[in-house]
Amino acid sequence: GAADDRGDGVDADVVSIVPLERRVLAVNPVTGPVAETPLAVNETLLVFRTRGRLGVAVTNRRLLGITSRSAVWAELRLRVSEGNHEPELVVEERVALVRLPSRIAAISSVSPVWHDVELSGDEQVREIVSSAQVVAVITDRRAIAFAAVARRCPSERRRSRSCSRSNGPGTCAS
């Protein structure tokens, strides 16, 4: 990101998450508050993490995603069974992934909308790998990747591959 005009080295293209008593606030260190969302009755913040322009907060009821350039939280409601587990959370410079018990959800700084992929009942996650612009989940059956920018699925050795709008922009499942 670019530094602000004061020349003090503060990056204007980052976001921070500030948990408050009954709300969650996203803040830019240069411009101040970006977005705010209240917590519902009995809703608790489980974990939050930011990296560069992307931030994710997880409550027992929803996933919240924010970028330094968005003015509203992207929200994905959790199922009742998902709210009882603290999820695995990976946040990189431009893409973030949340591993829930029966699905994988991701958001990018390019398209701040949650995309999720269902896991089958007996599908086991083997590994999560990530870099600044891509996160991937390797299961015992397939690889699921989310990218900040994807024009097409990368070439791969497996025969079956789907890369379509139904998976969400920047999402490939094989």
Side-chain angles (χ1 to χ4, degrees):
D4 71 348
D5 293 336
R6 295 176 299 187
D8 59 6
V10 176
D11 192 346
D13 202 15
V14 299
V15 68
S16 297
I17 293 175
V18 179
L20 300 171
E21 189 173 329
R22 296 298 321 143
R23 58 197 169 124
V24 181
L25 183 67
V27 178
N28 178 292
V30 174
T31 62
V34 174
E36 179 179 331
T37 187
L39 295 176
V41 175
N42 297 323
E43 184 177 20
T44 57
L45 183 63
L46 300 175
V47 63
F48 66 93
R49 202 164 292 139
T50 62
R51 191 169 205 175
R53 65 179 69 163
L54 186 60
V56 174
V58 181
T59 76
N60 60 328
R61 295 192 179 173
R62 55 195 169 142
L63 303 180
L64 299 166
I66 193 77
T67 74
S68 60
R69 298 176 183 180
S70 60
V72 296
W73 289 92
E75 181 178 307
L76 179 66
R77 294 264 178 211
L78 296 180
R79 299 173 185 139
V80 174
S81 62
E82 294 171 333
N84 300 327
H85 302 86
E86 187 166 319
E88 188 171 352
L89 176 59
V90 177
V91 179
E92 294 293 348
E93 286 288 325
R94 297 181 186 269
V95 65
L97 178 136
V98 181
R99 177 184 172 188
L100 299 163
S102 62
R103 61 183 168 154
I104 305 296
I107 190 168
S108 82
S109 62
V110 176
S111 173
V113 175
W114 285 102
H115 302 283
D116 61 330
V117 175
E118 295 289 328
L119 298 174
S120 64
D122 59 346
E123 188 171 10
Q124 299 294 313
V125 172
R126 300 283 190 223
E127 184 179 7
I128 297 175
V129 293
S130 64
S131 67
Q133 295 197 43
V134 177
V135 290
V137 176
I138 313 303
T139 74
D140 57 349
R141 297 183 181 171
R142 59 187 168 158
I144 305 164
F146 297 90
V149 178
R151 298 191 193 338
R152 61 181 179 82
C153 283
S155 62
E156 55 187 71
R157 294 181 186 150
R158 292 186 49 173
R159 288 183 304 172
S160 63
R161 177 178 77 208
S162 69
C163 186
S164 66
R165 277 198 170 297
S166 65
N167 290 331
T171 307
C172 298
S174 53

